[in-house]
Amino acid sequence: MIPALFFYLFSAIAVASAVMVISAKNPVHSVLFLILCFFNAAGLFVLLGAEFLAMILVVVYVGAVAVLFLFVVMMLDVDFVELRQGMLNYLPVGATVGLIVLVELALVFGSWVINPSSVSTRAAPTPTDITNTEALGRILYTDFIYYFQAAGLILLVAMVGAIVLTLRHKEGVKRQNISEQVARNPATAIEVVKVKPGQGI
Amino acid sequence: MTEIITALLFWVVVSLGFMSALLIIVAYLLWADRKIWAAVQMRRGPNVVGPWGLFQSFADLLKFAFKEVVIPDGANKGIFVIAPLVTATLALAAWAVVPVSDGSFFGLVEGRWVVSDINVGILYLFALSSLGVYGVIMGGWASNSKYPFLSALRSAAQMVSYEVSIGFVIITVLLCAGTLNLTEIVLSQKTGLGTMLGLPNSFLDWYFIPLFPMFIIFFISALAETNRPPFDLVEAESELVAGFMVEYSSTPYLLFMLGEYVAIVLMCAMTTILFLGGWLPIIDVPVLNWVPGILWFLAKLFFVFFMFAMVKAIVPRYRYDQLMRLGWKVFLPISLFWVALTAGVLVAFGWAP
């Protein structure tokens, strides 16, 4: 009974906050609702018995990605009223495209036949003798090790690319060289000058 | 039905009891923090309310609670009010998985002393401590003022940066322990370097010896993650007045400060659990192992907090670019190297659990 209660609670909040993401006037509110939505998705993962995925969702998406989202949205100061001004002009085109996609989706899912035997494979029971994290790790680092490594390499290339694109070495900027500062000693840093009275250096 | 209600009541009582004990400890740690700081600067510190100023924190609580809540005119009211609640709630929620002892306490309590003994405890702690940044960002943005906003931006960058090295430190400990459960991480420190040499179970087995550089990195990153001095750039008075809390007063301010201190004590508890053997006695011999585990845990927690307080009193504040350099150019490569080294050593000698 309690899991069912929490399922409806989490899903209702997730759907409501997803609606608020696109309907909120203030873009910062939108991002905050998106975070609420992520959070409730993590709650649903916990109910499914996938606690590792739930925690990773919170750490990666809520703790890092959404923070950067929020950062950008706060700094950009997007004026949504201005963006919405031409809405009526584009409404017919947009509505037509939306309608076509809806019909296509209806046709695809209407004619979709689910193989009865696939239901049992989909609902694979959560392993009872080993923990969730261990089960995921065993699959990831044995059966799917090459895909896992490839995904890691792609991320590495993306990171290097982002750094290369944004790194600029400006000329004439004074930079701090920590090792040089630490290596300073009285012999090189101080110069003792005898100044004769009445004369400058 | 009745079983559900009794179970629910039991957890409510346990959680409330745990939380009140935690809040009382935090109140006295706050007092101790000010006393230590004062002693280093040759002042007396709080000494008026109660004997030796022992009731100072409670007097402050009353003062905050009875003041007027001022919400600035241009502020985004909803978020302005929610921000301190987010900080305080997240900081308190993290304590749900922190184990404080194990075993029997004169027959009164049995088993593990933890509100919720989940499999992924350490990930839960990591997730919630990474969410702490939201209270700061929301508060800074909603205040609709320049100083809070600047402070929120720089503190968000700081907290996200130091999470990376904290993550790697946690991974090295997990590699040695072979579990994500906090109780089992502590129990895995019963055997280690010392027992390999044939000594009885003692402090030589704890992870702070084999992972000493990681211990130091974790301690410093914990200071940066909780915005403690010398990394308190979020409220650097000389640059930003009071940082993201400029516009806050009364109870919302109290909630921010409470959340901050609860997070600091949480970091002390995490240091204790990951590196200092949790509630394990210093040497597992009679007399020392008759002391209840909770007392050992609290003693270690207070010791780590004392180090936090001494750092606050002694070390001058970092400059922002130096802070970023330390996080990305020093801690990140060292911790990454140690993850690889630890994994290599564990596999090469067959010590991997």
Side-chain angles (χ1 to χ4, degrees):
Chain A
M1 191 196 84
I2 288 180
L5 196 74
F6 274 99
F7 171 76
Y8 286 112
L9 185 74
F10 284 140
S11 12
I13 298 178
V15 172
S17 52
V19 170
M20 288 305 289
V21 172
I22 48 173
S23 62
K25 284 223 173 72
N26 192 328
V28 174
H29 290 179
S30 286
V31 178
L32 289 175
F33 276 116
L34 182 70
I35 291 158
L36 188 63
C37 191
F38 279 149
F39 222 83
N40 284 285
L44 289 175
F45 268 133
V46 171
L47 286 183
L48 281 173
E51 68 250 14
F52 182 74
L53 281 183
M55 293 305 150
I56 290 297
L57 182 75
V58 174
V59 170
V60 175
Y61 281 93
V62 183
V65 175
V67 174
L68 299 180
F69 263 25
L70 208 56
F71 233 81
V72 172
V73 169
M74 280 176 180
M75 306 263 268
L76 278 184
D77 199 19
V78 189
D79 193 358
F80 268 62
V81 180
E82 203 175 292
L83 277 179
R84 284 198 181 128
Q85 265 171 2
M87 193 177 147
L88 271 183
N89 299 342
Y90 300 114
L91 194 64
V93 183
T96 323
V97 172
L99 205 68
I100 293 172
V101 173
L102 184 71
V103 170
E104 281 177 351
L105 281 178
L107 285 177
V108 166
F109 281 101
S111 58
W112 191 300
V113 182
I114 294 171
N115 186 355
S117 66
S118 69
V119 175
S120 58
T121 57
R122 181 183 57 89
T126 41
T128 46
D129 52 333
I130 52 171
T131 63
N132 199 287
T133 319
E134 213 177 330
L136 264 178
R138 279 186 190 173
I139 293 176
L140 212 56
Y141 291 104
T142 52
D143 299 351
F144 298 109
I145 180 70
Y146 295 117
Y147 302 103
F148 184 73
Q149 294 288 343
L153 276 179
I154 290 169
L155 284 177
L156 181 68
V157 170
M159 191 182 84
V160 172
I163 293 172
V164 166
L165 283 177
T166 51
L167 190 68
R168 282 172 298 164
H169 279 290
K170 270 194 219 157
E171 293 297 320
V173 176
K174 281 193 178 173
R175 288 183 194 283
Q176 197 177 10
N177 190 340
I178 304 282
S179 54
E180 221 168 68
Q181 287 183 351
V182 172
R184 259 161 66 103
N185 59 21
T188 58
I190 304 173
E191 188 187 356
V192 183
V193 183
K194 278 262 185 222
V195 185
K196 274 187 184 165
Q199 296 174 352
I201 297 172
Chain B
M1 197 62 207
T2 43
E3 292 106 62
I4 293 178
I5 291 174
T6 30
L8 220 61
L9 266 180
F10 175 74
W11 288 118
V12 167
V13 169
V14 166
S15 311
L16 281 181
F18 192 80
M19 204 173 85
S20 14
L22 173 70
L23 288 179
I24 289 171
I25 287 175
V26 166
Y28 279 104
L29 281 179
L30 219 152
W31 170 82
D33 193 23
R34 294 169 68 176
K35 273 288 191 193
I36 293 166
W37 203 11
V40 172
Q41 296 176 347
M42 299 173 87
R43 290 184 288 118
R44 279 173 183 275
N47 64 346
V48 176
V49 191
W52 304 292
L54 274 174
F55 302 136
Q56 181 67 45
S57 300
F58 301 99
D60 286 344
L61 172 82
L62 283 180
K63 195 185 89 173
F64 279 127
F66 285 124
K67 282 201 168 182
E68 186 193 352
V69 182
V70 181
I71 299 179
D73 212 20
N76 200 314
K77 287 193 187 55
I79 298 181
F80 187 84
V81 175
I82 291 173
L85 282 174
V86 167
T87 306
T89 317
L90 287 175
L92 286 172
W95 279 87
V97 297
V98 175
V100 292
S101 186
D102 190 18
S104 146
F105 182 70
F106 302 117
L108 284 173
V109 191
E110 299 287 343
R112 297 173 170 185
W113 294 30
V114 51
V115 176
S116 171
D117 189 31
I118 61 174
N119 283 334
V120 288
I122 189 79
L123 273 180
Y124 175 84
L125 276 188
F126 187 52
L128 283 195
S129 73
S130 70
L131 291 185
V133 64
Y134 279 110
V136 176
I137 298 191
M138 285 162 75
W141 179 80
S143 299
N144 191 25
S145 164
K146 285 194 182 61
Y147 286 131
F149 187 56
L150 284 173
S151 148
L153 288 183
R154 68 159 48 174
S155 111
Q158 170 188 341
M159 288 162 98
V160 172
S161 306
Y162 277 83
E163 240 152 58
V164 181
S165 49
I166 285 196
F168 279 125
V169 173
I170 290 177
I171 289 174
T172 45
V173 173
L174 295 184
L175 282 173
C176 296
T179 170
L180 294 173
N181 182 296
L182 288 165
T183 310
E184 272 155 34
I185 290 176
V186 171
L187 293 181
S188 75
Q189 297 181 51
K190 268 193 172 169
T191 54
L193 275 189
T195 44
M196 272 178 195
L197 298 173
L199 298 167
N201 300 338
S202 65
F203 63 94
L204 294 171
D205 301 329
W206 302 344
Y207 288 142
F208 79 99
I209 292 179
L211 302 176
F212 190 69
M214 294 284 101
F215 176 56
I216 303 295
I217 289 182
F218 187 82
F219 183 76
I220 298 174
S221 302
L223 291 173
E225 176 81 6
T226 51
N227 292 321
R228 276 287 281 192
F231 304 110
D232 60 338
L233 289 151
V234 61
E235 46 205 300
E237 300 89 6
S238 49
E239 302 151 27
L240 293 170
V241 197
F244 67 102
M245 297 195 260
V246 172
E247 307 289 349
Y248 281 91
S249 57
S250 168
T251 319
Y253 176 80
L254 170 76
L255 285 176
F256 264 134
M257 212 171 81
L258 179 80
E260 209 167 84
Y261 267 87
V262 171
I264 290 165
V265 181
L266 178 74
M267 279 296 172
C268 298
M270 263 175 98
T271 317
T272 308
I273 289 169
L274 293 178
F275 291 103
L276 298 177
W279 55 85
L280 302 175
I282 288 185
I283 302 170
D284 199 5
V285 291
V287 182
L288 280 181
N289 60 16
W290 292 342
V291 178
I294 177 81
L295 292 185
W296 281 115
F297 186 85
L298 284 178
K300 289 171 187 173
L301 190 134
F302 292 152
F303 171 71
V304 180
F305 188 82
F306 178 71
M307 302 299 286
F308 268 61
M310 286 304 275
V311 169
K312 176 180 179 173
I314 292 169
V315 185
R317 184 181 290 135
Y318 257 59
R319 215 172 57 201
Y320 193 69
D321 61 321
Q322 291 174 334
L323 172 92
M324 281 299 172
R325 177 185 166 272
L326 186 69
W328 288 105
K329 291 190 177 172
V330 180
F331 283 178
L332 183 62
I334 294 179
S335 50
L336 199 55
F337 170 72
W338 263 84
V339 171
L341 184 75
T342 312
V345 167
L346 287 177
V347 171
F349 290 91
W351 292 338

